[in-house]
Amino acid sequence: MGALKADCPGAINVVMLGPPGAGKGTQAERLSRTRKLPKISTGDILREAVQAGTSVGRAAKETMEAGNLIGDDIMIAIVQDRLDRPDAHCGFVLDGFPRTVVQATALDRMVADSGPLVVLDMAVPEDVLVRRLATRRICSKCGANAAPDWKTTCGKCGGALVTRVDDGIEIVRERLKVYLRQTKPLVEYYSARPTFSSIDGNRPPDLVTADVDAALDAAKDAAGRGVAL
Ligand code: AP5
Ligand code: MG
């Protein structure tokens, strides 16, 4: 699994796994900045498609607003298409994909010759997730999560801050159920791999980032030493 790319020996591919509100997007954003890897968030891609009114967006809107998952075939095609773009050639951070065993199997095929796949599972207790999502605000224009010091407008683009349409308490409960049923089995799918790490996500973001960085450095070191990953 994960042979090094001849033309891209330092390539590293990261999957952020975890329930809604675990901090996948927050940590993926940081990794993307510090490691110069494209952040590929399937939730963001779908929300942009809904906003733009594309055929994918029109088909996905209702399902997303109910807290359910979009079909595997659509998601696999979206991700395959995105990974084929040149900026993902030497690595990427996936946020929100895979979410089912079918998606994980497809991803293994996509990255078979693309460097190690580092899987970081962010663990956060359910009551904390519910609290985080109840208070989250996002930018209506660029989709960024609001920082604590942004009052009514986005600190990046000036857009109005709003509640995410699927962050209502009933939909959050549904998203958590869907996570347990369809996505949590991926922990078992990946956990025997040497590139899998469980991260305690219930700590201040900087401490979580330190563990994320350490897990990535360990995987890079091992790959550099020729350990089969
Ligand atoms: P998606 O957008 O991926 O939503 P999600 O998985 O439910 O996760 P969230 O974005 O809510 O949380 P997060 O883990 O990114 O946490 P964040 O960093 O924002 O998917 C949305 C929908 O799209 C799905 O329901 C589905 O319909 C569809 N979809 C997407 N991908 C799909 C796929 N592969 N297959 C099928 N359907 C798919 O943090 C949350 C909040 O907590 C923020 O306010 C943040 O500031 C705060 N926070 C973050 N870290 C910390 C910390 N350490 N301490 C305190 N607060 C923190
Ligand atoms: Mg997110």
Side-chain angles (χ1 to χ4, degrees):
M1 158 80 35
L4 293 183
K5 260 185 178 171
D7 62 339
C8 214
I12 195 128
N13 309 309
V14 185
V15 166
M16 305 297 306
L17 211 60
K24 302 183 295 293
T26 301
Q27 295 299 328
E29 176 92 38
R30 291 175 174 212
L31 262 187
S32 166
R33 232 180 305 123
T34 57
R35 307 271 171 158
K36 312 257 179 299
L37 296 169
K39 168 180 172 248
I40 302 174
S41 162
T42 45
D44 288 350
I45 291 171
L46 290 167
R47 279 184 289 278
E48 279 161 27
V50 169
Q51 208 158 26
T54 65
S55 57
V56 167
R58 287 196 303 275
K61 186 172 187 293
E62 214 174 297
T63 307
M64 291 178 78
E65 287 178 3
N68 292 316
L69 296 187
I70 309 305
D72 286 331
D73 290 352
I74 297 177
M75 297 314 302
I76 290 166
I78 287 174
V79 170
Q80 176 74 72
D81 195 55
R82 183 63 189 84
L83 294 186
D84 283 344
R85 279 169 41 188
D87 67 335
H89 183 69
C90 286
F92 52 79
V93 186
L94 272 171
D95 158 26
F97 184 97
R99 258 176 149 99
T100 64
V101 171
V102 172
Q103 292 179 15
T105 311
L107 181 64
D108 278 339
R109 278 196 302 271
M110 291 181 219
V111 302
D113 299 312
S114 307
L117 187 68
V118 178
V119 180
L120 307 176
D121 181 46
M122 317 275 298
V124 176
E126 193 168 312
D127 59 324
V128 177
L129 298 172
V130 169
R131 218 173 322 127
R132 283 186 188 176
L133 296 178
T135 53
R136 169 168 59 184
R137 297 291 174 273
I138 64 161
C139 173
S140 56
K141 236 163 112 184
C142 73
N145 277 335
D149 59 330
W150 303 355
K151 296 301 170 215
T152 53
T153 53
C154 174
K156 288 184 178 166
C157 75
L161 300 182
V162 295
T163 298
R164 209 169 95 176
V165 69
D166 57 350
D167 276 350
I169 184 67
E170 291 307 319
I171 303 174
V172 166
R173 298 237 178 260
E174 186 58 31
R175 285 162 63 199
L176 288 167
K177 272 194 226 154
V178 168
Y179 164 78
L180 289 175
R181 202 168 50 232
Q182 293 181 265
T183 307
K184 193 142 187 242
L186 292 185
V187 173
E188 199 177 322
Y189 180 90
Y190 285 122
S191 63
R193 299 187 187 184
T195 48
F196 173 89
S197 296
S198 180
I199 307 268
D200 177 1
N202 189 21
R203 290 169 309 148
D206 288 350
L207 295 184
V208 179
T209 302
D211 277 7
V212 165
D213 274 330
L216 241 71
D217 288 341
K220 269 196 129 156
D221 275 2
R225 281 184 280 110
V227 176
L229 298 174

